[in-house]
Amino acid sequence: MTTRDDFTKAIAGYKTLDKTESAFVPQFEELLRYPNCYERSLLSGHLTASCWVLNHDHSQVLMLHHAKLNKWLQPGGHADGDENLLRVAQKELDEETGLSDYSLLSEKIFDIDIHDIPERKGVPAHKHYDIRFVFRASRSSSISKNHESNALEWVKLAEVPDEASLQRMVAKTMIL
């Protein structure tokens, strides 16, 4: 998914058994009609990419405690004009975790989500249209948080916060 056309095709063909996630597909298709959907300048909402990073036996996931949102999330961030969402996800993984030894489990979309971001510092409330990819890394690999998070930890799947999109990814992990 290196271009808008690639991503448009991937979203159109995206299949999931989750009803909430299925309802996101036409919303992503609508967003892609905006020329600046990869940019923060689209104030109603824009594309982001994130990483679900599993340890080798898929019993834990690497999560960060987001400083601005004050909640546990997977690493990720804004596309900022880059149409290659996998590259965006990997850039965020590098920046937010310091991991250098990881592997991509699949180039296919692992999960999609649309979530609300509150107003902050003059930026109006908006939506993030998040594309998630799944990675694997060793627990013994060095990790280091950056300024965007309060903490960075390996979390047992059974202890992942009870938030719908996170639990959806936990459920998907169980069938990998």
Side-chain angles (χ1 to χ4, degrees):
M1 287 186 296
T2 58
T3 66
R4 179 186 296 255
D5 287 341
D6 293 338
F7 180 57
T8 301
K9 289 174 189 168
I11 279 294
Y14 185 70
K15 303 292 183 225
T16 179
L17 298 176
D18 185 89
K19 291 178 183 174
T20 301
E21 193 180 16
S22 290
F24 292 148
V25 171
Q27 295 175 65
F28 272 89
E29 291 173 326
E30 177 65 29
L31 179 74
L32 284 163
R33 293 184 180 136
Y34 291 89
N36 60 336
C37 65
Y38 288 87
E39 298 280 347
R40 295 182 209 208
S41 63
L42 184 56
L43 296 178
S44 60
H46 38 263
L47 288 162
T48 59
S50 63
C51 308
W52 188 246
V53 184
L54 300 167
N55 66 341
H56 284 289
D57 68 3
H58 299 183
S59 63
Q60 296 180 320
V61 62
L62 188 59
M63 299 190 77
L64 57 86
H65 188 266
H66 197 279
K68 292 178 185 174
L69 298 176
N70 192 32
K71 60 198 273 187
W72 287 95
L73 300 169
Q74 71 280 1
H78 292 92
D80 288 332
D82 191 345
E83 292 185 2
N84 185 330
L85 294 173
L86 177 55
R87 181 172 52 215
V88 171
Q90 289 174 303
K91 177 182 74 80
E92 294 295 331
L93 180 57
D94 296 342
E95 291 175 0
E96 294 183 348
T97 71
L99 272 174
S100 58
D101 183 22
Y102 59 82
S103 59
L104 177 67
L105 290 186
S106 174
E107 290 187 13
K108 292 182 180 180
I109 297 169
F110 179 64
D111 191 80
I112 63 174
D113 192 63
I114 301 172
H115 49 270
D116 294 321
I117 301 298
E119 181 277 329
R120 186 170 192 279
K121 293 188 176 183
V123 177
H126 59 281
K127 295 189 180 296
H128 279 177
Y129 292 73
D130 196 36
I131 303 302
R132 286 106 180 249
F133 297 94
V134 64
F135 293 82
R136 181 182 291 143
S138 172
R139 284 259 348 234
S140 63
S141 296
S142 175
I143 58 173
S144 59
K145 70 178 190 67
N146 71 6
H147 66 280
E148 296 177 41
S149 59
N150 297 321
L152 178 66
E153 297 177 11
W154 286 99
V155 177
K156 292 178 183 177
L157 290 182
E159 297 172 5
V160 169
D162 189 20
E163 191 273 316
S165 76
L166 296 176
Q167 288 302 312
R168 187 175 59 238
M169 290 189 289
V170 167
K172 289 179 180 185
T173 299
M174 302 304 200
I175 58 173
L176 281 178

